[in-house]
């Protein structure tokens, strides 16, 4: 029997979870005793509040990361226009601090478990550091963010990466579930469910097999960073008084205001004979600047951070004497304001 665990968390998207639930339940009806479906949480049986009108759904079990079968993770639903506590990135960030993150990590390490995501569910895994270097897809608004975590964004409806299957788009839960039914139970059961629902699975499932197309569709993170630096970053206009190298040189105590709270970061910059080096320290984590560039009176660089989540951030700063102002950005997420002062 294939055990399907559909994970719920406060703020989850209803369609992401319920559409696959119905598909797997229909498959269980056509393939008697071959499928079991359960709604679970990381904490155990409880009432879960969805991100759509606070609809309450009862989860009957606790996610078991060692139970063979399928674990499906939905995305979040919230305020797509803002960057407040009800925005999807903020909801997903809160989920990262629960037991779910560790349990998903355990599940991905099991040979007999397939982890599937729908829409923003792949961002949750990516922000937890589980998709670095792996092909995946998410909602089109989050593809840049997905790439910023180190994953390889693939513009497909469904991406099959072995023990990881991801779906892009709000309604992709139907396609992910139907594909998994076909993959695990065979095409006849999947076809029967499609006939029942009067819905045909959309698109070609992307897999890393066969002949690769001549045109290069996937751009590496390093290529994105270089392209961004060459083009210059498109954040808000900064008020810059000077572009001398010495204006940036030294140690800086900075504060970055993000949707998940304020981050206190110490930045050290050294510019000698046109060569720029730098590092950023937050708590016990220190990371080196990637591709720092002084251009058009602004200093830009990229950083790979792991706290409070795994992201590749792009920075743009300017200075006015001993004051630093600027932005940090990951993909299409709203820019986080950076302010700081020189301490040496």
């Amino acid at each position: 029997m294939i055990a399907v665990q559909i994970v719920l968390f406060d703020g989850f998207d209803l369609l992401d979870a319920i559409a696959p639930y119905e598909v797997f339940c229909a498959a269980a009806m056509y393939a008697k005793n071959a499928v079991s479906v359960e709604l679970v949480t990381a904490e155990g049986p409880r009432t879960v509040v969805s991100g759509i009108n606070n609809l309450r759904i009862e989860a009957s079990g606790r996610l078991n990361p060692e139970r063979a079968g399928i674990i499906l993770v939905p995305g979040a639903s919230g305020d797509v226009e803002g960057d407040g506590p009800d925005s999807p990135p903020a909801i997903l960030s809160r989920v990262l601090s629960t037991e779910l993150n560790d349990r998903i990590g355990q599940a991905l390490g099991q040979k007999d478990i397939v982890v599937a995501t729908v829409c923003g569910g792949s961002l949750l895994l990516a922000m937890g550091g589980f998709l670095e270097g792996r092909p995946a897809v998410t909602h089109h608004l989050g593809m840049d963010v997905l790439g910023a975590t180190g994953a390889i964004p693939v513009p497909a409806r469904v991406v099959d990466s072995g023990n990881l299957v991801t779906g892009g788009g709000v309604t992709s839960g139907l396609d992910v579930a139907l594909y998994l039914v076909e993959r695990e139970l065979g095409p006849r059961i999947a076809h029967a469910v499609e006939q029942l629902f009067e819905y045909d699975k959309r698109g070609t499932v992307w897999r890393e097999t066969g002949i690769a197309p001549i045109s290069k569709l996937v751009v590496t993170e390093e290529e994105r960073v270089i392209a961004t630096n060459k083009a210059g970053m498109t954040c808000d206009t900064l008020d810059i008084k000077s572009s001398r190298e010495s204006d940036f040189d030294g140690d800086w105590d900075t504060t970055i205001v993000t949707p998940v709270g304020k981050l206190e970061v110490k930045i050290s910059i050294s510019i000698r004979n046109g060569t720029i080096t730098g590092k950023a320290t937050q708590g016990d984590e220190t990371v080196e600047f990637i591709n720092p560039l002084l251009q058009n009176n602004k200093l830009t660089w990229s950083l790979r951070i792991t706290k409070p989540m795994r992201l590749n951030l792009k920075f743009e700063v300017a200075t006015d004497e001993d004051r630093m102002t600027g932005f940090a950005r990951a993909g299409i997420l709203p820019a986080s304001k950076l302010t700081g002062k020189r301490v040496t």
Side-chain angles (χ1 to χ4, degrees):
M1 176 180 290
I2 299 173
V4 180
Q5 301 180 80
I6 298 179
V7 180
L8 304 184
F9 51 82
D10 292 326
F12 78 97
D13 185 273
L14 274 171
L15 191 59
D16 287 1
I18 300 306
Y21 180 84
E22 287 208 42
V23 170
F24 288 122
C25 285
M29 179 179 66
Y30 285 118
K32 190 174 181 180
N33 298 325
V35 182
S36 67
V37 192
E38 186 178 20
L39 300 176
V40 301
T41 74
E43 301 79 20
R46 69 178 179 92
T47 300
V48 187
V49 180
S50 80
I52 300 177
N53 291 336
N54 296 322
L55 185 65
R56 296 175 179 272
I57 302 290
E58 291 295 326
S60 59
R62 186 181 189 187
L63 173 62
N64 184 348
E66 298 181 351
R67 187 179 184 184
I70 297 170
I71 295 174
L72 187 138
V73 182
S77 178
D79 183 5
V80 297
E81 298 296 333
D83 58 353
D86 294 326
S87 65
I91 294 171
L92 295 177
S93 297
R94 289 196 293 272
V95 177
L96 285 176
S97 65
T98 70
E99 294 180 56
L100 180 57
N101 198 48
D102 288 339
R103 289 180 175 269
I104 292 297
Q106 293 177 45
L108 284 168
Q110 305 293 324
K111 294 181 179 179
D112 51 2
I113 293 179
V114 176
V115 176
T117 67
V118 179
C119 200
S122 58
L123 289 179
L124 180 60
L125 270 63
M127 290 158 63
F130 301 124
L131 300 192
E132 188 166 352
R134 299 199 67 170
V137 66
T138 188
H139 190 281
H140 70 275
L141 292 178
M143 291 291 276
D144 285 344
V145 182
L146 188 66
T149 66
I152 302 173
V154 179
R157 182 71 170 173
V158 177
V159 174
D160 182 345
S161 182
N163 69 335
L164 173 70
V165 176
T166 56
V170 178
T171 58
S172 67
L174 288 168
D175 304 291
V176 168
L178 283 167
Y179 173 67
L180 287 171
V181 168
E182 179 183 357
R183 194 178 98 161
E184 304 299 324
L185 296 176
R188 288 191 290 179
I189 298 298
H191 182 256
V193 177
E194 286 182 340
Q195 285 188 312
L196 177 66
F197 286 8
E198 295 186 342
Y199 177 86
D200 296 331
K201 179 166 56 67
R202 288 175 52 187
T204 299
V205 175
W206 186 95
R207 293 184 295 165
E208 202 166 10
T209 60
I211 300 173
I214 295 176
S215 60
K216 190 174 182 181
L217 298 180
V218 178
V219 180
T220 66
E221 176 59 23
E222 287 73 21
E223 290 170 332
R224 276 194 296 271
V225 169
I226 292 171
T228 300
N229 283 336
K230 286 183 177 179
M233 298 185 67
T234 57
C235 294
D236 295 1
T237 301
L238 302 176
D239 181 17
I240 301 165
K241 302 297 184 181
S242 173
S243 62
R244 293 177 303 169
E245 293 180 352
S246 60
D247 289 347
F248 295 93
D249 202 81
D251 295 332
W252 302 80
D253 285 339
T254 69
T255 300
I256 305 173
V257 181
T258 77
V260 296
K262 292 183 179 180
L263 305 179
E264 303 298 330
V265 181
K266 182 176 181 178
I267 293 176
S268 298
I269 301 171
S270 175
I271 305 179
R272 298 292 182 272
N273 299 321
T275 300
I276 307 170
T277 59
K279 60 183 179 181
T281 301
Q282 181 196 0
D284 58 356
E285 180 181 41
T286 298
V287 291
E288 302 290 332
F289 286 10
I290 301 173
N291 292 330
L293 181 67
L294 180 58
Q295 187 178 37
N296 298 329
N297 299 324
K298 293 174 284 188
L299 181 63
T300 64
W301 70 87
S302 296
L303 282 181
R304 290 191 179 96
I305 66 168
T306 61
K307 299 176 183 179
M309 65 193 74
R310 290 181 181 270
L311 282 175
N312 292 329
L313 291 176
K314 296 179 176 64
F315 286 77
E316 177 181 309
V317 301
T319 62
D320 182 2
E321 296 183 351
D322 290 333
R323 183 175 65 94
M324 176 180 285
T325 57
F327 304 90
R329 185 187 294 276
I332 62 168
L333 287 176
S336 297
K337 185 177 180 180
L338 180 150
T339 57
K341 61 180 180 180
R342 196 195 311 263
V343 293
T344 59

